[in-house]
Amino acid sequence: MSTLVIVESPTKARTIRNYLPKGYHVTASMGHIRDLPSSAEEIPKEQKGLPWSQLGVNVEENFAPLYIVPKKKKKVVTELKQALKEADELILATDEDREGESISWHLLEVLKPKVPIKRMVFHEITQEAIQKALTNCREIDFNLVHAQETRRILDRLVGYTLSPLLWRKIAKGLSAGRVQSVSVRLIVQRERERQAFQSANFWDLKAELLQKKAKFEAKLITLGGKRLATGSDFDATTGQLTKGKRVVVLSQAEAIALKERLTGKDWTVTQTEEKPTTRKPSPPFTTSTLQQEANRKLGISARDTMRTAQKLYEEGYITYMRTDSVHLSDQAITAARDCVETKYGKDYLSPQVRQYKTKSKGAQEAHEAIRPAGSTFRTPQETGLKDRELALYDMIWKRTVACQMADARLTQLSVILKVEDAEFRSAGKRIDFPGFFRAYVEGSDDPDAALENQEVVLPDLKEGDRPTCKKLEEVEHNTQPPARYTEASLVKALESKGIGRPSTYATIIGTIVDRGYVQIRDKALTPTFTAFAVTALLEEHFPSLVDTDFTSRMEQTLDEIATGEVQWLPYLKDFYLGEKGLETQVKVRESDIDPAVAKAIAIESLPVKVKIGRFGPYIEAENGEEKITASLPADLTPADLNPAQVETILKQKTEGPEQVGSHPETGEPIFLLVGSYGPYVQLGAVTEENKKPKRASLPKTIQPEALTLQMAVDLLALPRLLGEHPETGKPIKVGLGRFGPYVVHDQGKDGKDYRSLKKEDNLFTIDFERAMELLAQPKRTRGKSSSKTPLKALGNHPTDNEPINVYEGPYGIYVNHLKVNAGLPEGETVETITLEKALELLAEKAGSKATKKKTTTKKTTTKKTTTRKTKSSS
C-alpha cells in the first residue's frame, strides 16, 4: 500500500520522511497552492470584467472568494496530482494552526482525491510525535478553515477598498491594512508624543564615600525634610512640575551652593535595611516573547526570528513555533528537569514542578510553548547547529530549562546617610542564591556576566557609622521623551492590546517597513511623513479602522469563528455591508476628503507646511505672494526635520546653493546642496557646457553644518586610487557608494571585488595596506557569506578535479558540481549520499540539460527558418 503525505516545505518533508514507515512518500506543497488574485493578469477570463473581479471577492454572492492557482504553483499542483495517482491513501500533514488547516483544505479542493483522506497534526517532528500522530488522524476542522478564510477576506476588503482611496487623496502606491494601519498609528502616536514633549531640567548631588577603605556611592534624596524631585514629578507636555507635587527642584546654581555648604561636613548613617526578595523564572517562549527576546538579546528582526524558528521546527530541533501557549507537556517538564539536575545539580532544581498558565486572551489552537523537541533535550553543543540557528536554539533551550529551576534569592540593601539637613541614599543588591539566573537572564547573552552586573556590593554599614566623603559633585538631569517603539516593544504592545496575532507580527512589521511607512534606525521604528499623512486621514474619516479596541474585537471574533461560537458570513456582511460597514463609510466619506488637506502634514515646530507629492514629501512656504516648494530627501523623517534644515533647503531654492569654498587646484566653486537622496557637494555650477558637474554625497557620519572645504575636496576626489594589486596589477580604490564607504579591487573585464569599510576605518585616511586586509576577508552580502557552506564535501570530480558538495536550497538538499545541481532522490539523505551516487545524479542531470538545450536550439532554428520562408514567399 502506497501513502502520499503532503507537507508545506521540502525541509519539513525531508525531516518527517525519516520517521515514517516504508511505503510512505512525502512531498511538499510549497505553502499555499491557491489564493485570491494578486493582479488583473491572474483573474480568469470567465470573471474578467465583472464588477467584483478586481476585489477577488463576490460580495453579493455571500462573499464568495475567487481562488486561483498562481503561475508559480501550477508546476507544483501538476506534480502533486501525478504523485496522487500512484497513491492508495492521502495524508495531509500541514501545520496544526489555521493557516495549516487552510492549506490542507485547498489541497483537497484542487487535487480532488478519490482515495481515503486523513488529516495528521503534530507540534514537533520526532519519532514519537509522528508515530503518535499517525494513529490519531482526524478530519479537516472547517471552523479553523472558516476563521482563516474570514481573516483573508477581511484583509482583502480593507486593503482593496481603502488603498485606492489613499491613491486618489494622497499619493499613488500607498496601502492600508486591517492590522498594518493600526500598527502604523501606534508608531505615529508615539512620535507625536515625542514632538509634544517638553524636557524638564533639574539637578541633584552624588557623593563618593569611604568606609574602612571600601568605596560606595550615595545620591541626594531629601533636603530640609522635603523629597528631591525625580523625572516622574514633571509633566511631559509642559516640562513643569505636575500640580500638587511638593518636592524640591534644584537649579544648577542651587546644586553648586548646596555642594559647597555640605563639603567638609560630617556624614552619619541613620538607617540600614536589608530586604530579602525572590525572582521567579519567566515562562517558556510563546511566538510573541520569542520575537521580543530575539530582538533584544540577539538583535534579530521579528521576520528573521520566525524564518529561523521555522527552519529549526522543520528540521526537528524545536516544537511548533506559532503558539500563544506557555503550557509544557509532562514529557517536556521531565526533560527540562533532567537537564537542570545534570548540568546545574539538584540544588538548582525547583522543588515543585512549574506549570504555567496562558494569560493571552484569544490564545490560538497550538497547545504547547516553544521548546526543544523530543523527550530528551539536546544541548546546544550537541545539535551541530551554527550561527543564527544555534543562537536561537540556545536561547530556547536555556529559557525552557530555566523555567524548571529554583527561584533566585536576593537581598535588597538600603542605607540612609545624613549630612546637615540633607539625606542621601545608597542602594545595593546581593545575590544569595542565583537559582535560574545560572541558566538564563532576560536580555543578556552571558548569564554569568549578568550575575556580576546585577550585584551592587555595599560595605558593612551600621547605624551611627561615620563614613568619609571623598567626593561630592552636582549632577544634571533632563527628562526624556517616551522611547520610540522597537520591534520588541511594538510586538509587546500589539499583543497586550489584542491586535493581530503573534504569528502575524513579523509580517506586519516587515510590511510597514517595506512600504515606506517606517524606517528602522538603531532598532527604533521611526515613522515617515507618509505614515503621518495616512494616519491623519484614517483617524479623521475612518476612526474605527485604526482604533485598537475595534481591531482587538475583530481578532476576538476571528477566534470565536475558529471555535464555532460565531458564524463567519453574518460577521462579514455586518463589517462590510452594514449600516456602518466599510463600503458604506467609504461611499459617504470620500467626497468629504479634500486631497489638499489630506496631503498636508501639520508639524507645530516648523514654519512651513510639509506635503506628500507625486515624488515624495516636500515643503511649501509663502514668499510674499508666491509659494515656494522644495523636495525633501527620501530618507528624511519628521523626527529629522528642524527649522534650520528648512531654512537651508528654502535658501537653496530661492538664492541658489551654499558655496563651501573654491577648489584649491581648479579654483571652481564647491557647493553644498540637498537633493532627493540627502546632502551632497557639487564641483562648479550647472551650465550648458557642464550639464553634469561632479557630485559626491555626504556620508552619514558627516553633518552638513560640520562640512569643511577640505572634506568637500576629499569627497569630490573619490574614488581615490590607493595602489595596484600585487598579483593582478589592477587598481585598488576607496570610494563612497549607496551602501556607504568601500574599497574595491577593479579587475576590469574580470569584474570588481568590493568590501565595505568597518566602523573604525576613515574614508579619507585609509591606506593601501588596510584596503588589502579588508579585501582578504571573506565577502559578505546582507549579513550572509557569499560563499555557501556545504553540508557535506563528497570529494573531487574525476574528470576535472573540481569539488562535489552537498548543499541545502529552497527546494531541498542537492549535490553541486560547477554549474550543475542535482536534487537528492527519495530516500537519500545527507548522511547516505556517496561520491559515486552523486556522480550518477550529476551525469543524469547534465545529460537532461544538454538534451533540453538541443531541443530549444532546434525549435529556435525551425522557427527562424519558417519565418524566412514566409518572408521569401510573400
Side-chain angles (χ1 to χ4, degrees), residues 100 257 314 346 381 526 533 541 564 590 649 686 707 858 869:
E314 291 180 343
K346 285 187 177 180
Q381 295 74 26
T526 306
H541 299 284
E590 181 164 10
I649 293 169
V686 178
L707 182 74
K858 189 175 179 181
K869 283 182 178 178

Side-chain angles (χ1 to χ4, degrees), residues 129-179:
I130 298 304
Q131 292 302 318
K132 185 177 179 181
L134 268 177
T135 57
N136 289 279
C137 290
R138 60 168 172 79
E139 294 182 349
I140 284 185
D141 186 333
F142 281 96
N143 286 331
L144 296 182
V145 174
H146 288 320
Q148 188 279 339
E149 189 171 63
T150 305
R151 180 190 293 274
R152 185 73 184 93
I153 292 171
L154 278 174
D155 289 343
R156 176 58 67 100
L157 293 174
V158 173
Y160 275 50
T161 304
L162 285 180
S163 297
L165 178 72
L166 297 179
W167 304 344
R168 294 188 291 272
K169 302 299 182 179
I170 299 178
K172 287 281 187 183
L174 298 181
S175 68
R178 186 178 58 85
V179 179

Side-chain angles (χ1 to χ4, degrees), residues 303 307 507-518:
R303 183 186 284 178
R307 283 176 182 159
T507 305
I508 293 164
I509 294 171
T511 299
I512 63 178
V513 171
D514 293 344
R515 293 185 177 173
Y517 288 112
V518 169

Side-chain angles (χ1 to χ4, degrees), residues 453-472:
N453 294 337
Q454 287 204 17
E455 278 206 307
V456 181
V457 180
L458 292 182
D460 185 20
L461 292 163
K462 300 180 183 66
E463 288 183 26
D465 283 348
R466 292 176 174 271
T468 304
C469 180
K470 303 297 290 182
K471 187 178 179 182
L472 191 60

Side-chain angles (χ1 to χ4, degrees), residues 661-670 683 709 712-713 716-717:
S662 299
H663 197 284
E665 294 176 9
T666 67
E668 292 177 279
I670 297 177
L683 182 61
L709 176 60
V713 171
L716 289 164

Side-chain angles (χ1 to χ4, degrees), residues 521-522 633 635-636 639-642 644-645 648 658 660 672-674 678-681 697-709 711-712 715 764:
R521 300 177 178 177
D522 295 326
D635 61 350
L636 200 74
D640 307 317
L641 193 60
N642 56 50
Q645 284 175 305
T648 301
E658 175 189 345
V660 180
L672 172 64
L673 301 98
V674 179
Y680 65 94
V681 288
S697 295
L698 266 63
K700 291 183 178 179
T701 52
I702 299 177
Q703 295 301 314
E705 56 270 20
L707 182 74
T708 64
L709 176 60
M711 286 178 183
L715 285 168
F764 303 128

